[in-house]
Amino acid sequence: MPSKKALVRRPSPRLAEGLVTHIEREKVDADLAVEQWEGYVETLRAHGWETVEVDPADDCPDSVFVEDTVVMYKNVALITRPGAESRREETMGVEEAVARLGCSVNWIWDPGTLDGGDVLKIGDTIYVGRGGRTNAAGVQQLRAAFEPLGAQVVAVPVSRVLHLKSAVTALPDGTVIGHIPKVDRPSLFPRFLSVPEEAGSHVVLLGGGELLMAASAPKTAELLADLGFEPVLVDISEFEKLEGCVTCLSVRLRELYA
């Protein structure tokens, strides 16, 4: 039986100070962000996911983007070493949470850097974005951790967005979706579908054909519904101002051993 647990982490009161790399800074409404986060968590629960709250990291503005701190493969948790030094303290609470869930824990060590947002898993293929926050040593360590377990790690260049998953995610059938102007090399993916909006590039697979998506991508939602999927829309406008998307706000644990 696959597991349906999702790690989430409450936004820091300092959320508005979060890092912005590829977009202009906009004012973040911290109260609205908390409401949107609660709506996101509620949506996961409503679709059969058990949410596990990681202890908040109030001094870390970006800590709500919990996906960046750990990469899961089977029941192994690889604790990352974020490329932005200001984010490295975020990993501590996450390490405790995955250990409590019975995961086997590994780490990315100096000089490696790796952000979880740079990792896209499709079956046993793990795509890793080599770009702003993930370096070559981080890619090598990811390979060393997961290839012995049966994964095939494929490194792809990322230069137009913050993370690989800011550019592409995958549908339940393994088709990679992305907004062409933001994708460095669409040809590296065996099946690629171009979507009309940047925010439409991000889906979280809820199970069945249900796709958690941002409300800011209505045209993409329409396109995917027409292909027989069921978009489930959430408003995450305040997180989008910090280059966040639906994938960054949780870590889905699908293969925990009972």
Side-chain angles (χ1 to χ4, degrees):
M1 229 353 234
S3 50
K4 284 185 83 168
K5 289 188 194 322
L7 297 182
V8 292
R9 193 179 224 170
R10 189 166 285 282
S12 155
R14 295 176 55 193
L15 176 71
E17 300 166 44
L19 300 170
V20 173
T21 312
H22 287 266
I23 58 175
E24 291 290 309
R25 184 173 287 283
E26 287 183 71
K27 193 169 174 0
V28 172
D29 179 335
D31 294 334
L32 179 57
V34 170
E35 267 174 54
Q36 290 179 345
W37 179 82
E38 287 172 346
Y40 175 95
V41 171
E42 198 38 62
T43 303
L44 286 176
R45 289 195 193 122
H47 289 82
W49 288 79
E50 179 194 336
T51 55
V52 177
E53 232 181 281
V54 177
D55 290 342
D58 287 351
D59 285 342
C60 300
D62 285 297
S63 54
V64 70
F65 301 123
V66 67
E67 177 181 59
D68 288 323
T69 56
V70 60
V71 177
M72 293 298 307
Y73 180 67
K74 298 188 173 167
N75 67 327
V76 176
L78 181 62
I79 302 296
T80 66
R81 189 165 174 269
E85 207 166 316
S86 64
R87 298 196 59 189
R88 297 210 176 131
E89 286 185 7
E90 294 175 30
T91 60
M92 290 184 297
V94 173
E95 188 178 317
E96 283 169 28
V98 291
R100 276 202 299 268
L101 290 170
C103 299
S104 157
V105 182
N106 283 348
W107 294 265
I108 295 284
W109 300 104
D110 185 19
T113 61
L114 177 78
D115 274 19
D118 273 322
V119 179
L120 173 63
K121 289 175 296 188
I122 306 176
D124 289 316
T125 303
I126 300 181
Y127 291 98
V128 55
R130 167 69 189 91
R133 301 269 175 93
T134 294
N135 66 14
V139 172
Q140 287 169 347
Q141 292 181 37
L142 178 77
R143 281 199 184 105
F146 292 149
E147 286 194 336
L149 306 177
Q152 182 186 20
V153 175
V154 179
V156 296
V158 172
S159 64
R160 304 175 186 186
V161 284
L162 179 60
H163 289 130
L164 176 64
K165 281 164 95 170
S166 312
V168 292
T169 57
L171 298 173
D173 61 13
T175 301
V176 172
I177 59 171
H179 183 54
I180 289 283
K182 300 292 179 184
V183 183
D184 283 73
R185 308 263 177 87
S187 61
L188 290 174
F189 305 106
R191 290 201 303 277
F192 182 83
L193 173 68
S194 163
V195 296
E197 296 140 317
E198 186 181 349
S201 309
H202 321 121
V203 296
V204 171
L205 311 184
L206 292 172
E210 294 181 326
L211 308 175
L212 184 65
M213 296 179 63
S216 55
K219 290 182 190 147
T220 307
E222 209 173 304
L223 168 71
L224 297 176
D226 193 50
L227 294 176
F229 297 105
E230 279 181 67
V232 175
L233 303 183
V234 287
D235 184 0
I236 54 162
S237 62
E238 301 315 291
F239 302 107
E240 289 173 326
K241 293 174 183 177
L242 296 166
E243 293 173 288
C245 61
V246 284
T247 67
C248 337
L249 294 168
S250 60
V251 176
R252 282 74 55 202
L253 292 80
R254 303 172 191 272
E255 298 180 90
L256 288 186
Y257 300 155

